[in-house]
Amino acid sequence: MPIKDILTVLDLAGDQPAAKYALEFGRIHDSHVTGLAVSFEPVVPAFAAAPMPVDYLQAAHEQAVAAAKSAKSQFDELARIAGTRNESRMAEILTGGPLENVLAHCRPTDLVVIGQANPDRPEPMRELLIETLLFESGVPVLIVPYIGSEAYQPRNVLVGWDGSSTATRAIHAALPVLEKADKITVLVIEKKSTPENGQPGADVANYLARHNMDVTVDVLTNPQTGVADAVLNHVSENSNDLVVMGGYGHSRMREFLFGGATREILEAMTVPILMAH
């Protein structure tokens, strides 16, 4: 199915690398792009010894709304320059509270685009927002590195394949992008020297080849590094400009307790990553 409806969650500061990517990506795919500016409303701590001054809360509210309006205006100007069909919206949520109001905007779309968490310019609740979008939106999520990317039409795509349902959903979501790529590499990381089910990655490579795609398979057996480093090293060594992979293969609690490849990749990514859960 073509990607015709994109929503991008706007940054509240900076140069909007995710919005720029979404708009150019949308122009190439003839998509409608919605920019969503989120106003993070202040919360009064339950343990506060004394009531918070009303004027403080009002000032914090006005500051949050002003930041969202500024991001919305910035998106409107970027969209005007890009010439992409677009609209912009605002949503309000309580800082640290439920994200259902954001999810409601994201669910009736084909793709959500959001920026990577930037340690030098933190966005409110960004890591939690990315995780929640992956787990609860039901929509594939494309994360753009905070350094930006101009590979609006990826040509050299890396597909991470482990046979899981999340990787399968990511590949299906990425088909409109993969069909335009010049080269696709399926990366399989094997922990056993002797695969149990024939040639690793051959099944998904054949599937993509039937869609007239140029596909090769790279198998890494017992890599000396972890899965995340193996993926990131492949990207660096082969100049991949997009990664397609399943996100958070385990439950939220297990990922929280033990970490995981998804979280490590999101922290160190240098190219856009299209994920599905």
Side-chain angles (χ1 to χ4, degrees), residues 227-250:
V227 172
D229 284 339
V231 172
L232 295 170
N233 288 341
H234 192 287
V235 169
S236 176
E237 293 168 2
N238 295 275
S239 300
N240 300 116
D241 50 16
L242 176 71
V243 176
V244 175
M245 59 180 286
Y248 293 105
H250 303 300

Side-chain angles (χ1 to χ4, degrees), residues 159-232:
V159 175
W161 179 248
D162 59 3
S164 66
S165 59
T166 58
T168 301
R169 282 191 284 272
I171 288 174
H172 283 282
L175 282 177
V177 181
L178 297 176
E179 288 172 347
K180 296 178 182 293
D182 296 326
K183 179 182 179 182
I184 299 167
T185 302
V186 174
L187 178 64
V188 181
I189 299 175
E190 283 285 329
K191 295 183 179 180
K192 297 180 180 180
S193 56
T194 304
E196 296 179 354
N197 299 312
Q199 182 63 32
D203 48 359
V204 71
N206 288 334
Y207 167 75
L208 294 173
R210 293 186 188 109
H211 285 263
N212 299 316
M213 300 179 192
D214 181 11
V215 186
T216 59
V217 178
D218 282 355
V219 180
L220 296 181
T221 304
N222 293 322
Q224 298 301 308
T225 62
V227 172
D229 284 339
V231 172
L232 295 170

Side-chain angles (χ1 to χ4, degrees), residues 63-235:
Q63 184 178 12
V65 172
K69 285 183 176 179
S70 176
K72 182 175 179 293
S73 296
Q74 195 175 5
F75 172 83
D76 290 339
E77 177 61 15
L78 290 171
R80 184 190 67 79
I81 295 171
T84 308
R85 290 182 290 115
N86 71 91
E87 66 177 288
S88 57
R89 306 174 188 167
M90 289 181 58
E92 292 187 5
I93 63 171
L94 288 174
T95 301
L99 295 171
E100 189 60 37
N101 198 20
V102 174
L103 291 170
H105 288 276
C106 296
R107 286 176 177 139
T109 62
D110 295 321
L111 179 69
V112 174
V113 179
I114 187 170
Q116 174 195 23
N118 184 345
D120 297 324
R121 189 177 285 165
E123 292 282 330
M125 301 174 64
R126 179 52 55 92
E127 292 178 348
L128 177 61
L129 184 52
I130 292 173
E131 179 183 294
T132 301
L133 288 171
L134 281 167
F135 273 101
E136 299 182 31
S137 72
V139 179
V141 179
L142 195 154
I143 303 100
V144 178
Y146 61 77
I147 59 173
S149 171
E150 294 185 356
Y152 307 118
Q153 177 48 63
R155 295 298 180 187
N156 182 10
V157 181
L158 178 66
V159 175
W161 179 248
D162 59 3
S164 66
S165 59
T166 58
T168 301
R169 282 191 284 272
I171 288 174
H172 283 282
L175 282 177
V177 181
L178 297 176
E179 288 172 347
K180 296 178 182 293
D182 296 326
K183 179 182 179 182
I184 299 167
T185 302
V186 174
L187 178 64
V188 181
I189 299 175
E190 283 285 329
K191 295 183 179 180
K192 297 180 180 180
S193 56
T194 304
E196 296 179 354
N197 299 312
Q199 182 63 32
D203 48 359
V204 71
N206 288 334
Y207 167 75
L208 294 173
R210 293 186 188 109
H211 285 263
N212 299 316
M213 300 179 192
D214 181 11
V215 186
T216 59
V217 178
D218 282 355
V219 180
L220 296 181
T221 304
N222 293 322
Q224 298 301 308
T225 62
V227 172
D229 284 339
V231 172
L232 295 170
N233 288 341
H234 192 287
V235 169

Side-chain angles (χ1 to χ4, degrees), residues 16 18-31 33 74-86 152:
Q16 302 290 351
K20 290 177 180 177
Y21 191 96
L23 287 165
E24 285 301 314
F25 185 94
R27 184 182 61 79
I28 291 169
H29 289 268
D30 190 27
S31 308
V33 180
Q74 195 175 5
F75 172 83
D76 290 339
E77 177 61 15
L78 290 171
R80 184 190 67 79
I81 295 171
T84 308
R85 290 182 290 115
N86 71 91
Y152 307 118

